[in-house]
Amino acid sequence: MKNLILISMILAVFSFSACGQKKDVPAKIKTAFEQKFPTAQKVKWDKENETEWEAEFKMNGKEYSANFSSDGKWMETEYEIEKSEIPQAVKQTLDNEFAGYDLEEAEISETTDGKVYEFALEKGETKMEVAITPDGKVVKKEVKKEDEEDND
């Protein structure tokens, strides 16, 4: 009986460690990440596609995601923000151009091209993804209907 318990414990440890293994993230990507986000905590890595890695982590009390190319180049960082953190110029654009839409999600996306505010908006059955520059210019507007998603 003791052997059976011991074997069960060993198998449990192996199963747990296999599930908890980290993805094999290339060293140059980890190094680039650590240099850009030295205070990041609880980092989880995923391979986004063949040429891109994504790290999800916590920093300054917020949840972040950052993408790096296979050669270690930083590509994008995203993090959610509260409605109160949206700048006035961006709020004005939302109010003027997207009146009647409910704000489902707000986040900041930073790339080498700069910063944009990204929003998930909803009005009835219509869902929309919008990106607005800090000075209030709409740079992306993508409409999605719920029934289109259901027919896929």
Side-chain angles (χ1 to χ4, degrees), residues 64-122:
Y64 283 73
S65 71
N67 293 48
F68 289 82
S69 63
S70 295
D71 63 357
K73 182 181 174 201
W74 169 78
M75 299 169 68
E76 179 182 30
T77 301
E78 292 181 330
Y79 56 96
E80 286 192 30
I81 59 171
E82 298 296 324
K83 196 173 185 176
S84 61
E85 298 176 82
I86 301 170
Q88 189 57 45
V90 176
K91 278 184 191 176
Q92 191 169 355
T93 299
L94 285 170
D95 291 344
N96 292 342
E97 295 192 33
F98 304 99
Y101 280 86
D102 292 325
L103 180 64
E104 299 295 312
E105 185 178 288
E107 65 183 21
I108 291 178
S109 171
E110 296 176 355
T111 66
T112 54
D113 294 333
K115 178 195 298 190
V116 294
Y117 292 82
E118 295 183 337
F119 303 98
L121 305 175
E122 191 173 311

Side-chain angles (χ1 to χ4, degrees), residues 3 30-31 34 38 45 64 67-68 81 84 93 104 139-140 144 147:
N3 286 341
K30 280 186 177 179
T31 300
E34 290 166 0
W45 286 96
Y64 283 73
N67 293 48
F68 289 82
I81 59 171
S84 61
T93 299
E104 299 295 312
V139 291
K140 175 188 169 192
K144 297 183 177 183
D147 47 310

Side-chain angles (χ1 to χ4, degrees), residues 36-55:
K36 185 151 184 76
F37 305 102
T39 61
Q41 299 174 332
K42 299 183 180 180
V43 182
K44 293 178 186 167
W45 286 96
D46 245 336
K47 189 143 189 193
E48 189 87 338
N49 56 47
E50 288 303 310
T51 61
E52 199 172 320
W53 286 84
E54 179 180 60

Side-chain angles (χ1 to χ4, degrees), residues 4 8 10 19 21 24 34 38 66-67 71-72 95 99-100 106 111-112 120 124-125 136 138 147:
L4 185 58
S8 296
I10 290 171
C19 292
Q21 285 180 348
D24 198 12
E34 290 166 0
N67 293 48
D71 63 357
D95 291 344
T111 66
T112 54
E125 291 190 13
V138 177
D147 47 310

Side-chain angles (χ1 to χ4, degrees), residues 11 67 78 128 146:
L11 288 174
N67 293 48
E78 292 181 330
M128 184 179 297
E146 279 188 43

